[in-house]
Amino acid sequence: MTTSEIECRNCGDRRLIPFLSLGKTPLADALVAPDADFDLEERFPLDVAFCESCTQVQILEEVSAEKMFVDNYLYFSSFSDDVARHSRENALRLIGERRLGADSLVVEIASNDGYLLKNFVEAGIPVLGVDPAPDQARTANERGVTTIARFFGTELAAELVADGKRADVIIANNVMAHVPGLNDVMAGIAMLLHDDGIVSIENPYVRDLVDHGEFDTIYHEHLLYHSCSSIQALANRHGLFLNHVENFPKLHGGTLRWMLSREDWKSAAATAFLESEVASGLSTIGYYRDFAEKVETIRRDLRTLLEGLRAEGRTIAAYGAAAKGATLVNCCGLGTDLVEFVVDRNVHKHGKLMPGTHQPILGPEALLERRPDYVLLLAWNFKDEIVAQQREYLAGGGRFIVPVPTPEVLS
Ligand code: JHZ
């Protein structure tokens, strides 16, 4: 693979070096209706590249955002207790540290169903959610979290500023990976931010993705894979500074929280993260080429494990109709011959089929009704939460398989 024709979404340079191709896959959240014409299901190339200039990792294909987040987007953040707990802690801390009150404004970009902002609302703090997914925005408004169903960028930020709004806190969690107009979003944040306001960004960390073989978190919604250096380059371009970094190693496979403001200072943690990225080679293409080899091994080993179990006559289901789950079953070629059905707690997904591989999606109670011998944990990021809920299935002799970092049967 050679350098690409497209521009880096962060710095605009054309020196993008592709290092991993996951073939052509369907959109990871495009669950399929059982009566759909499967021949019409769209697939798009999934190739990942590294920008030699600013170190930003990104995919090359760009599918329309409306297609991914407006039509048929069924991801509701409120289905994980761990995420709810993490979000509440974040909100309570911001309220205390920033002394937020009735005169403050907290804006969240990609606020989904209001899972995070509701904590500020309960404390009497004015909020504004922004999320283009219509069902999620409606749910948020119904629960008292004022939400605008639009994409965020300079256009919306300018309208809000003209309307007299400036944000004391802007939160952007699990969205900076999803935005094709990365600079437009950061420019909008800078525009809307109060002079002494702060920005809190969370996103899975590209270093955890690579080090733990989490290749299934690469899908078309995730255009960008962030590091401290890529976030710092982006922030500086818009007059903001990376002040502090916090690490949540278990959240979504390894998440960082980046705190930005207009003040140019850096905590010891932020400095240490930036230095360790250079020391570990994260800013070089070799790091990612090694990862591409690791991905091949995981794909092969997982198939071998599942084929071996099927050859012994064992039955296999999967847990979690997650976007990463759709990526995994498609990239590893896990059809219904290997994995019979998928269970998920999100009721909006029930009755649909997995993209590409077409396993039916059922409620988690199907594990007790059908008792598959093994369950492939597609939502491996919620391993502890899900295993704790499935004690009865496990007590009956069922076993979980985790696919990454190395496919293994949990003991
Ligand atoms: P989950 C999401 O990706 C969405 P996905 C998004 N693309 C993103 O950026 C990343 O996270 C970071 C279900 N579940 O959250 C709910 C149970 O059934 O890992 C979900 O359908 N029982 C914006 O889609 C799925 O599993 C449970 O007990 O890969 C998990 O999906 C729990 C906890 C979850 O992410």
Side-chain angles (χ1 to χ4, degrees):
M1 289 192 264
T2 54
T3 53
S4 129
E5 291 305 306
I6 75 153
E7 287 178 0
C8 169
R9 295 181 181 91
N10 190 333
C11 72
D13 199 286
R14 284 184 185 269
R15 281 175 297 159
L16 291 183
I17 309 177
F19 61 87
L20 172 67
S21 178
L22 292 171
K24 275 185 151 190
T25 61
L27 296 181
D29 269 313
L31 302 183
V32 179
D35 57 355
D37 181 348
F38 296 162
D39 292 337
L40 297 180
E41 202 175 357
E42 288 184 286
R43 287 174 180 268
F44 303 89
L46 193 51
D47 299 323
V48 200
F50 168 77
C51 174
E52 270 209 299
S53 175
C54 73
T55 78
Q56 180 74 60
V57 174
Q58 55 207 288
I59 62 163
L60 297 176
E61 188 77 11
E62 197 163 303
V63 179
S64 108
E66 274 78 11
K67 197 174 251 190
M68 291 194 289
F69 303 115
V70 179
D71 310 341
N72 199 23
Y73 184 63
L74 298 173
Y75 182 77
F76 282 69
S77 301
S78 289
F79 281 98
S80 160
D81 300 337
D82 281 354
V83 169
R85 201 174 312 114
H86 169 84
S87 307
R88 183 165 172 75
E89 280 167 18
N90 185 16
L92 295 181
R93 208 176 112 190
L94 284 166
I95 292 170
E97 285 181 1
R98 305 300 299 177
R99 300 207 174 97
L100 302 177
D103 296 331
S104 311
L105 176 63
V106 178
V107 173
E108 188 187 4
I109 302 167
S111 46
N112 199 276
D113 55 12
Y115 71 106
L116 189 151
L117 287 181
K118 68 174 188 178
N119 296 295
F120 294 96
V121 172
E122 280 164 20
I125 295 156
V127 301
L128 180 63
V130 182
D131 199 301
D135 293 343
Q136 288 78 349
R138 198 186 48 247
T139 305
N141 279 311
E142 281 166 5
R143 52 159 65 144
V145 176
T146 307
T147 303
I148 303 178
R150 280 176 64 180
F151 286 99
F152 182 84
T154 48
E155 189 181 303
L156 179 56
E159 287 176 32
L160 294 172
V161 171
D163 200 25
K165 292 191 168 58
R166 298 292 292 283
D168 300 282
V169 176
I170 299 182
I171 301 171
N173 289 352
N174 298 312
V175 63
M176 296 310 271
H178 301 65
V179 288
L182 181 64
N183 280 285
D184 187 62
V185 169
M186 192 50 95
I189 289 175
M191 198 184 273
L192 185 60
L193 189 69
H194 210 280
D195 287 346
D196 58 3
I198 57 150
V199 185
S200 176
I201 295 174
E202 286 179 18
N203 204 78
Y205 188 21
V206 70
R207 183 175 183 166
D208 286 309
L209 188 166
V210 168
D211 291 357
H212 306 136
E214 298 163 358
F215 74 94
D216 49 349
T217 63
I218 298 171
Y219 45 88
H220 299 95
E221 286 168 31
H222 291 171
L223 297 155
L224 299 141
Y225 302 83
H226 290 292
S227 61
C228 297
S229 47
S230 72
I231 290 288
Q232 172 163 265
L234 176 69
N236 291 167
R237 202 173 302 121
H238 299 281
L240 297 173
F241 296 92
L242 174 63
N243 300 142
H244 184 53
V245 181
E246 285 168 36
N247 189 7
F248 301 92
K250 292 198 98 179
L251 186 67
H252 293 305
T255 288
L256 291 189
R257 177 184 291 156
W258 294 283
M259 307 295 291
L260 318 178
S261 77
R262 293 189 211 283
E263 277 181 53
D264 186 4
W265 63 272
K266 221 171 237 53
S267 68
T271 305
F273 262 101
L274 285 162
E275 286 174 0
S276 75
E277 287 185 1
V278 175
S280 62
L282 198 77
S283 43
T284 61
I285 181 66
Y287 188 75
Y288 300 98
R289 290 221 163 99
D290 290 350
F291 167 65
E293 280 175 28
K294 186 168 13 177
V295 171
E296 279 320 305
T297 308
I298 299 171
R299 288 164 85 171
R300 193 195 53 226
D301 290 354
L302 182 60
R303 269 200 72 89
T304 306
L305 172 65
L306 300 188
E307 281 168 355
L309 291 171
R310 291 293 291 135
E312 289 168 11
R314 311 285 180 189
T315 51
I316 307 170
Y319 195 121
K324 68 174 75 59
T327 311
L328 190 107
V329 292
N330 280 284
C331 290
C332 298
L334 309 181
T336 45
D337 53 331
L338 287 177
V339 176
E340 226 174 287
F341 63 95
V342 176
V343 299
D344 196 288
R345 195 155 86 152
N346 179 342
V347 290
H348 306 281
K349 296 184 178 179
H350 297 168
K352 306 257 184 189
L353 309 178
M354 290 298 274
T357 52
H358 304 149
Q359 285 89 356
I361 301 167
L362 312 169
E365 60 284 354
L367 295 185
L368 293 181
E369 289 157 13
R370 299 195 182 193
R371 295 228 173 249
D373 297 310
Y374 291 84
V375 172
L376 176 63
L377 197 47
L378 298 174
W380 45 258
N381 47 321
F382 294 122
K383 185 174 86 185
D384 296 346
E385 189 173 340
I386 291 170
V387 166
Q389 288 163 19
Q390 291 301 327
R391 284 204 200 91
E392 202 178 334
Y393 165 72
L394 291 166
R399 311 282 296 271
F400 276 107
I401 299 170
V402 287
V404 298
T406 306
E408 66 170 332
V409 179
L410 291 184
S411 50

